[in-house]
Amino acid sequence: MLEAIRKKSKGWVAYLIVGLIAVPFALFGVQQYFSGSSNSVIAIVDGEDITVNNYYQEFNTQQRNLQQQLGSSYSTEIDNALRQTLIDTLINEKLLENFTNSMKLVTLDEEVRSLIQSNPVFQVDGIFSEDRYIQILRLNNFTPLGYELEQSKSMSLDQIKRNLNNSAFLSTVQIEQLNDLSSQQREVSFVVLNTEKYQDQIVVNQEQISEYFDNNKSKFIEGRKVQVDFVELSLDNIEQQIDPDNETLQKLYIENEDLYTNPEQRRAQHILLEKVSNASSILKEIKQGGDFSELARIHSKDITTSEIGGDLGLFERELMVPEFDKAVFDMNVGDISDVVKSDYGYHIIKLNEIQPATLQSFEEVEEQLLALHKKNVNQKALYDLQEELGNLAYEESIDVVSNQLDLELQTSDFFSELSTEYDEVFVSTAFSDVVFEDGENSDVIELSKDRFVVMSLANQQPERQKVLDEVEDQIVDILRNLGAKQLIDDLAQTISSSLTSGNTNQVNSLMSENNLEWNEVGWITRGSQLPFNVTSEVYKLSKPNSGEHTYHSQSVDASTTLVIDLKAVKLSEENKNSEIVDLYLTEENNELFLSLVNKLRNSAEIKVFSELL
Amino acid sequence: MKNFIQVGGAEEEQVEQIKKWWNSYGKQIIAGAVIGLSGIWGWNTYSDYQDKQSLNARSLYLSFASDSNNLGAYDKLTTDFSSSSYTDQAILLMAKYLFDAGSYTQALGVIKPLINNSSSVIATTAALRVASIYLQLGQHDQALLILEGQSDDGFSGLIYNLMGDIYLDLGNRTEAQKYYSLAINNVTENSNLTQLIQIKLDDLN
């Protein structure tokens, strides 16, 4: 085959072809060779690649955010779920991108501009600020062009949804059906039956206990436990005579001037007003010689200071709302400000005094310097020792470590993986592979800022099936509750059917024998908040004919059962809301969009390399 | 490679060879390069033109979406950009405007052809809206006929839901229940509509 090409490639036709082939290579080939090894692919959607790079860029950001939000409850399951969700999202984006291209949907520059300008994040005092925009983008590693391209792309992806929403409408019939549902009220009362009162009546025999135990053995397993030997290093282990000379402290003083400087403080008076027009007229009055304190007393809405002429006392920077702060620290003594707007209203401010920043003298802070010096020296010694501990623990057994560093060898109690007796990190280290499986010393773990521990496995106790004797009391409680639950379920059922058949005498005697009473709720709406989810249960019941009731017994949890009496249903005129139409159209449109995505997904050829996730 | 540069020849010989080779094949290479380059240029120009057309269509669509009286934009779309998907979407808008103004029959006339649109999402949307207009006109049979004719099962949750509404209005509770249940089973996973349809269904208990 190659031979054939070679032979044919001697003719002039061949050179024409070479010329044709060479052009695209010369123009497009290069950047692909320079983009390096980062091109490995994590998924293929209809022949188009989603790269590992692309995936991890997004993943790392989201993982960081989630970890910050969830802290230590960020688990492997959550991590896996995040990976799966993210790859799904990227695939959907790719599908939508192809769809958008095939429909030739595009986003205009002015659409992107108006989206960005209306984003409150980029606004200062409700107005778009170019400086703030650039600053926030820089903080998030974006150039304006890059950010705008990304926005434009994502606006194109869900444009079909917005376009279809623009043209959505609802027939009068459907609007009325929705209104009838949302304005429907129901009159209701209910009885609550609880197992608590009946548990003592339940007799449990030995046979039932054994039977329950035999059928539910897996519920009575004690998890594995460990006991560890450990040494602890803390500031207490460091005993040093520290007696620094004057020169050392002087040096420390100079290095830490910031710590011993009292910041600049200013004393100001203000008058707070709700309306800008009032503020302007009072400002005018002051400028014409009006007495500031007197005007504050009469007009200021800041009731905590108006009595004392609006005096706010001395304060440093950043204690007041930003607009106020800025105004005060830009003024000179004796100045009266223009009207300043803040979240509280409109201020007129008078600056009365400036106390400049002052540095405390060496003598004043000598004690503090000595303490600081000691702390520094001890900290340094502690960290040196901690490093030594780490090195030694890597090579020697825990008792050698204890001897050589003169740290007491301690032994823990037995504890399980769920133990709260010890620090969380202490427990998880004890069950880590290094300590539990390999039997080696742990790394140095930091329990708190100044406490370090190295541990080693002393004893372990494997997972264990508990025996009947240990759990008998527990099982008796469970069986009593189950028995009592059956009893109240039956009771509720009897009351409900007696009510339905009109057997009032039986109902009354059952109610009084069991000390039960009706909770008369009256008329409720779908939004009413009632205990035990009564509202949603009530709206599932069939509507009674006029003059009749619907009765129903309903189990709500392991210890509660209800009897519900639905007395009447009506439509309320006042409860009509027009929002429901918009809400419905939005949801219907979302559904249309999601169906579209599903459909694209089902008809696409998708391959995911899950091992790379 | 041997056929155009003889290895080991003297330098002048090599230059001579290259000249000879160029004389015989140079024209073809230049021609090839020119054809290749103009192909790329042509393609770029064509896609630039396409992009520009899309942007123009988007701009006209937005004008009509923000102002129902801007019939100029609508007419330009339907005549100059008749194959653009923005034209289909503008027709959907026009149907809404006509519906809101009470011109139901006219709205039907405008939107009905879209039921056969090549894009399934446009076609389904059109079918749902045509059925709604028939419902508005009290022509329940027509409305059901349109919905029953929908063969695309990707959107069946929405179709069944509307059929439930139509049967409910006819007073046929059994059929309404049947179609609401079907709707719940056919909407997308975790859809927010599920709850709403469940409320309608519970109300028929």
Side-chain angles (χ1 to χ4, degrees):
Chain A
M1 165 103 180
L2 281 174
E3 187 62 22
I5 294 176
R6 225 175 80 91
K7 276 187 184 146
K8 281 190 185 143
S9 67
K10 284 178 185 165
W12 66 270
V13 182
Y15 287 101
L16 184 69
I17 293 171
V18 169
L20 268 172
I21 293 175
V23 173
F25 273 108
L27 292 180
F28 300 117
V30 189
Q31 80 266 26
Q32 300 212 345
Y33 291 101
F34 285 105
S35 54
S37 61
S38 56
N39 275 334
S40 59
V41 168
I42 202 158
I44 306 176
V45 178
D46 277 340
E48 287 185 49
D49 297 345
I50 297 174
T51 66
V52 171
N53 254 7
N54 203 327
Y55 169 78
Y56 272 101
Q57 220 173 0
E58 194 66 26
F59 176 74
N60 291 338
T61 324
Q62 299 211 14
Q63 189 188 42
R64 210 176 316 121
N65 288 345
L66 263 180
Q67 280 170 340
Q68 267 166 14
Q69 278 171 31
L70 299 174
S72 60
S73 47
Y74 185 89
S75 62
T76 326
E77 287 88 63
I78 296 180
D79 193 76
N80 287 337
L82 175 64
R83 284 166 199 273
Q84 197 54 53
T85 315
L86 187 61
I87 192 72
D88 278 345
T89 312
L90 289 176
I91 290 171
N92 288 352
E93 266 175 23
K94 181 62 90 182
L95 290 166
L96 275 173
E97 194 183 316
N98 292 345
F99 169 80
T100 306
N101 288 339
S102 76
M103 296 277 283
K104 298 208 172 72
L105 300 177
V106 291
T107 299
L108 305 182
D109 289 347
E110 54 251 46
E111 290 180 78
V112 180
R113 202 177 310 133
S114 92
L115 178 82
I116 288 173
Q117 293 189 343
S118 63
N119 186 342
V121 173
F122 303 132
Q123 292 178 351
V124 174
D125 296 334
I127 295 163
F128 175 75
S129 152
E130 184 85 30
D131 291 342
R132 192 175 169 85
Y133 174 59
I134 307 252
Q135 184 193 355
I136 288 182
L137 291 197
R138 198 170 296 149
L139 276 174
N140 291 286
N141 287 328
F142 272 114
T143 62
L145 188 64
Y147 181 75
E148 282 151 25
L149 270 176
E150 198 151 298
Q151 290 304 302
S152 168
K153 196 178 145 191
S154 82
M155 283 177 87
S156 294
L157 289 190
D158 69 352
Q159 195 193 90
I160 185 72
K161 184 163 140 183
R162 286 178 288 122
N163 290 353
L164 293 179
N165 211 20
N166 284 342
S167 58
F169 59 87
L170 212 50
S171 64
T172 320
V173 170
Q174 288 169 287
I175 294 175
E176 272 166 14
Q177 287 174 351
L178 284 172
N179 273 329
D180 285 356
L181 287 174
S182 78
S183 64
Q184 188 190 96
Q185 299 195 343
R186 296 190 169 197
E187 190 185 10
V188 69
S189 61
F190 64 95
V191 182
V192 181
L193 295 89
N194 196 288
T195 51
E196 207 180 339
K197 267 197 307 201
Y198 303 93
Q199 283 171 357
D200 293 343
Q201 297 175 20
I202 306 294
V203 182
V204 176
N205 62 36
Q206 201 56 43
E207 200 181 327
Q208 290 170 310
I209 296 173
S210 326
E211 195 189 328
Y212 187 87
F213 179 72
D214 290 340
N215 291 335
N216 296 280
K217 276 193 162 162
S218 60
K219 284 185 187 164
F220 303 106
I221 286 173
E222 186 181 69
R224 56 185 187 167
K225 287 185 169 183
V226 293
Q227 188 176 37
V228 295
D229 294 326
F230 65 98
V231 291
E232 184 175 330
L233 176 65
S234 69
L235 271 181
D236 303 338
N237 297 102
I238 312 222
E239 286 167 26
Q240 264 183 301
Q241 192 64 34
I242 303 169
D243 203 3
D245 54 18
N246 199 37
E247 199 181 325
T248 315
L249 290 187
Q250 285 283 3
K251 206 177 145 215
L252 197 62
Y253 176 64
I254 292 162
E255 283 169 3
N256 291 285
E257 264 181 13
D258 285 358
L259 282 178
Y260 307 114
T261 303
N262 296 324
E264 177 187 319
Q265 291 190 314
R266 293 188 169 206
R267 179 191 293 273
Q269 282 171 279
H270 81 140
I271 305 172
L272 176 68
L273 297 149
E274 276 164 0
K275 285 190 188 151
V276 68
S277 54
N278 293 352
S280 308
S281 68
I282 289 173
L283 183 62
K284 208 166 155 195
E285 216 176 319
I286 293 168
K287 291 214 165 132
Q288 285 165 357
D291 182 66
F292 196 99
S293 307
E294 190 56 32
L295 287 165
R297 224 184 312 276
I298 301 166
H299 297 292
S300 182
K301 301 289 177 218
D302 178 3
I303 48 164
T304 53
T305 64
S306 59
E307 282 295 300
I308 46 173
D311 185 16
L312 291 161
L314 281 165
F315 53 91
E316 37 187 276
R317 268 179 207 275
E318 287 175 7
L319 276 178
M320 302 294 178
V321 279
E323 302 83 6
F324 191 94
D325 192 74
K326 184 171 181 328
V328 169
F329 282 87
D330 283 347
M331 290 162 75
N332 295 318
V333 174
D335 282 359
I336 309 274
S337 72
D338 287 336
V339 175
V340 176
K341 184 180 182 300
S342 82
D343 290 346
Y344 296 100
Y346 299 89
H347 308 262
I348 303 166
I349 310 165
K350 185 179 175 200
L351 183 64
N352 293 321
E353 184 187 347
I354 298 179
Q355 279 194 3
T358 50
L359 179 65
Q360 288 175 277
S361 71
F362 178 75
E363 287 71 25
E364 276 177 286
V365 296
E366 201 172 344
E367 285 285 306
Q368 294 177 43
L369 285 166
L370 186 62
L372 180 66
H373 176 73
K374 280 185 177 168
K375 197 178 142 212
N376 288 348
V377 172
N378 283 331
Q379 206 87 48
K380 170 97 173 51
L382 181 66
Y383 281 108
D384 289 347
L385 207 54
Q386 177 235 327
E387 216 173 292
E388 203 183 333
L389 173 65
N391 291 335
L392 204 57
Y394 187 70
E395 288 163 359
E396 303 288 350
S397 72
I398 193 100
D399 28 325
V400 176
V401 174
S402 153
N403 270 330
Q404 288 204 8
L405 294 179
D406 197 22
L407 295 169
E408 187 199 347
L409 184 64
Q410 305 176 62
T411 304
S412 74
D413 297 331
F414 272 102
F415 58 90
S416 75
E417 275 162 289
L418 303 172
S419 168
T420 51
E421 192 184 341
Y422 295 94
D423 286 291
E424 212 179 313
V425 47
F426 190 94
V427 173
S428 64
T429 308
F431 285 95
S432 67
D433 286 350
V434 175
V435 176
F436 190 84
E437 302 290 342
D438 308 340
E440 288 167 15
N441 288 342
S442 70
D443 290 337
V444 178
I445 55 170
E446 194 172 348
L447 295 187
S448 64
K449 194 163 157 277
D450 298 326
R451 282 173 68 212
F452 300 95
V453 158
V454 169
M455 68 171 72
S456 162
L457 185 68
N459 280 301
Q460 54 163 303
Q461 184 183 300
E463 183 180 277
R464 179 180 77 86
Q465 175 70 59
K466 291 186 186 173
V467 295
L468 183 54
D469 279 353
E470 287 172 275
V471 295
E472 196 169 325
D473 291 350
Q474 208 184 329
I475 292 180
V476 170
D477 286 347
I478 294 171
L479 289 175
R480 284 207 168 128
N481 199 48
L482 285 173
K485 177 67 170 138
Q486 185 63 53
L487 207 149
I488 59 168
D489 280 350
D490 292 347
L491 183 56
Q493 180 63 51
T494 313
I495 294 174
S496 161
S497 53
S498 306
L499 284 165
T500 309
S501 60
N503 193 342
T504 334
N505 287 341
Q506 195 189 358
V507 174
N508 288 342
S509 66
L510 282 174
M511 296 278 293
S512 64
E513 273 168 35
N514 290 284
N515 270 324
L516 297 172
E517 52 187 44
W518 287 101
N519 295 285
E520 296 290 344
V521 183
W523 289 100
I524 62 169
T525 65
R526 285 182 193 272
S528 296
Q529 300 280 337
L530 294 175
F532 308 113
N533 262 335
V534 167
T535 305
S536 86
E537 294 302 339
V538 166
Y539 275 94
K540 282 182 198 156
L541 300 181
S542 59
K543 288 173 243 177
N545 293 328
S546 166
E548 293 173 12
H549 289 208
T550 301
Y551 300 103
H552 179 68
S553 68
Q554 175 72 43
S555 163
V556 288
D557 60 41
S559 54
T560 320
T561 306
L562 304 177
V563 179
I564 298 173
D565 173 8
L566 172 57
K567 303 171 180 189
V569 175
K570 70 171 181 186
L571 293 179
S572 145
E573 282 303 316
E574 77 239 43
N575 230 351
K576 274 209 169 122
N577 72 46
S578 54
E579 279 167 36
I580 191 157
V581 172
D582 289 337
L583 178 85
Y584 182 82
L585 284 176
T586 309
E587 293 302 349
E588 191 180 52
N589 206 48
N590 278 343
E591 174 65 18
L592 193 65
F593 185 68
L594 290 176
S595 304
L596 170 67
V597 174
N598 270 358
K599 203 178 139 59
L600 293 173
R601 225 177 149 127
N602 290 335
S603 54
E605 200 177 310
I606 297 169
K607 182 159 174 48
V608 180
F609 301 95
S610 346
E611 67 277 6
L612 292 176
L613 284 182
Chain B
M1 289 297 195
K2 265 189 181 170
N3 57 337
F4 47 89
I5 299 173
Q6 214 100 59
V7 183
E11 223 168 280
E12 294 96 66
E13 250 178 74
Q14 285 188 12
V15 172
E16 206 44 45
Q17 293 238 333
I18 293 171
K19 273 188 186 161
K20 212 169 132 195
W21 173 82
W22 181 253
N23 282 336
S24 11
Y25 298 116
K27 277 186 201 136
Q28 284 87 334
I29 293 199
I30 289 173
V34 167
I35 295 174
L37 281 171
S38 44
I40 290 167
W41 176 82
W43 175 253
N44 281 344
T45 315
Y46 175 71
S47 40
D48 281 354
Y49 170 76
Q50 289 274 314
D51 288 350
K52 203 142 185 248
Q53 287 293 91
S54 300
L55 288 169
N56 286 339
R58 173 64 176 161
S59 179
L60 288 167
Y61 174 83
L62 282 175
S63 308
F64 187 52
S66 61
D67 177 9
S68 59
N69 292 319
N70 194 340
L71 294 176
Y74 179 75
D75 288 341
K76 196 160 172 51
L77 265 175
T78 45
T79 48
D80 296 353
F81 297 86
S82 59
S83 66
S84 164
S85 80
Y86 283 120
T87 302
D88 301 336
Q89 296 173 61
I91 292 173
L92 290 175
L93 264 177
M94 183 53 125
K96 176 203 166 58
Y97 292 151
L98 289 168
F99 182 93
D100 287 348
S103 314
Y104 306 129
T105 329
Q106 271 177 282
L108 265 183
V110 168
I111 196 176
K112 248 183 144 179
L114 286 183
I115 295 182
N116 301 316
N117 198 272
S118 60
S119 153
S120 66
V121 67
I122 299 284
T124 308
T125 306
L128 285 165
R129 292 179 184 170
V130 167
S132 292
I133 301 172
Y134 276 128
L135 179 58
Q136 183 74 20
L137 288 166
Q139 301 176 21
H140 297 75
D141 290 346
Q142 287 294 332
L144 290 168
L145 205 63
I146 294 287
L147 295 176
E148 279 158 5
Q150 281 301 298
S151 54
D152 196 326
D153 59 0
F155 302 92
S156 52
L158 286 166
I159 303 279
Y160 290 141
N161 177 40
L162 182 51
M163 289 175 82
D165 290 347
I166 296 169
Y167 277 114
L168 181 62
D169 194 50
L170 283 170
N172 190 337
R173 295 163 68 93
T174 326
E175 287 296 293
Q177 269 172 330
K178 175 180 146 194
Y179 282 102
Y180 286 144
S181 304
L182 277 170
I184 288 176
N185 292 331
N186 283 281
V187 288
T188 56
E189 214 180 327
N190 303 324
S191 169
N192 287 337
L193 270 192
T194 312
Q195 228 184 334
L196 255 160
I197 305 172
Q198 187 67 51
I199 288 176
K200 298 195 220 174
L201 189 56
D202 285 343
D203 202 62
L204 294 174
N205 275 339

